Amino acid sequence: AMEAIGDRTDVVSVGAVGSIPFGGGAPDEGVVDAETGAARAGIYHVLPGYFETAQIPLLRGHLPTWADIDGAADIAVIPESTARALFGSSEPIGATFSSNRGRRLTVVGIVGEVTHTLAGESRPQAYVIPGAATRGMWVVARVRNHNDQTLAALRRQLGAMRPGMPVTATWWSDSIGSVAAMRSPRFQTLVLGSFAALGLGLTALGVFGLV
């Protein structure tokens, strides 16, 4: 599917990730503390091209390649904040950590920071090649023309590859915008005001019924 999307003339780059930032999805795996078993970071599955498409910069080391995928390499790419959380001041490139699925992962690259949610502080994250238990991935494409025709064409192409499977296609900017709107004070005031009005209405109805 990624090759077919990448071959389109209106697509600049394409990649895939288990859960897109601001998409509401949970990490695919987790980093656990070797001694206590406590969760320390969320792990997201990625395929080559994701960081370039999402414009997440590589700071040092290297990103996953298709050769790594073919070889089933257990490698990880992490932001600097995760490197500090897991390894302190030690050199992260070449260091290893374990996932809650028993995978032993070796850090091969450091990338820029990524925010996955606006709900308070984001848990440290790591990005790894998909494992055997990958539940699904989002195809992420950077296109030349930001219009409804391009989005509809991509949706049709993806749908044709998997007949009968529902396909969700949306602009990433719209997803981020909707999450930001829901986190705004005006939206929260509107929601709280609506529940207050509903409660007042139920109270009035109850009093009327009693009378």
Side-chain angles (χ1 to χ4, degrees), residues 1-7 13-17 45-53 62-75 77 108 128-130 137-140:
M2 286 180 56
E3 289 182 357
I5 296 297
D7 288 340
S13 62
V14 63
V17 65
H45 294 167
V46 294
L47 292 177
Y50 170 69
F51 295 100
E52 297 88 338
T53 302
H62 69 85
L63 298 174
T65 66
W66 286 108
D68 295 323
I69 300 289
D70 295 338
D74 281 331
I75 61 175
V77 173
V108 298
V128 307
I129 290 173
M137 303 190 80
W138 285 86
V139 175
V140 180

Side-chain angles (χ1 to χ4, degrees), residues 1 51 59 70 74 77 88 136-137 154 158 162 165 172 181 192:
F51 295 100
L59 303 181
D70 295 338
D74 281 331
V77 173
M137 303 190 80
L154 290 171
L158 287 170
R162 296 291 186 271
M165 180 179 293
W172 203 340
L192 292 174

Side-chain angles (χ1 to χ4, degrees), residues 43-138:
I43 293 178
Y44 298 90
H45 294 167
V46 294
L47 292 177
Y50 170 69
F51 295 100
E52 297 88 338
T53 302
Q55 295 189 332
I56 301 170
L58 174 67
L59 303 181
R60 52 199 177 96
H62 69 85
L63 298 174
T65 66
W66 286 108
D68 295 323
I69 300 289
D70 295 338
D74 281 331
I75 61 175
V77 173
I78 60 177
E80 288 188 321
S81 60
T82 303
R84 291 191 298 269
L86 297 181
F87 309 114
S89 59
S90 300
E91 171 57 48
I93 300 293
T96 63
F97 61 88
S98 297
S99 79
N100 58 353
R101 293 181 181 173
R103 300 174 68 185
R104 193 68 181 173
L105 300 149
T106 301
V107 178
V108 298
I110 305 296
V111 295
E113 299 298 328
V114 182
T115 300
H116 274 262
T117 176
L118 292 178
E121 292 187 5
S122 179
R123 177 190 295 180
Q125 64 261 175
Y127 300 89
V128 307
I129 290 173
T134 298
R135 61 177 182 268
M137 303 190 80
W138 285 86

Side-chain angles (χ1 to χ4, degrees), residues 2 16 21 38 42 100 139 144-145 147 181 189:
M2 286 180 56
N100 58 353
V139 175
R144 303 183 192 280
N145 303 307
N147 55 51
T189 300

Side-chain angles (χ1 to χ4, degrees), residues 165-208:
M165 180 179 293
V167 174
T168 298
T170 183
W171 296 115
W172 203 340
S173 56
D174 291 344
S175 298
I176 295 174
S178 63
V179 171
M182 287 189 290
R183 292 287 298 173
S184 71
R186 180 179 179 184
F187 178 83
Q188 294 178 359
T189 300
L190 176 62
V191 171
L192 292 174
S194 298
F195 278 114
L198 177 62
L200 180 62
L202 291 175
T203 301
L205 181 62
V207 172
F208 176 79

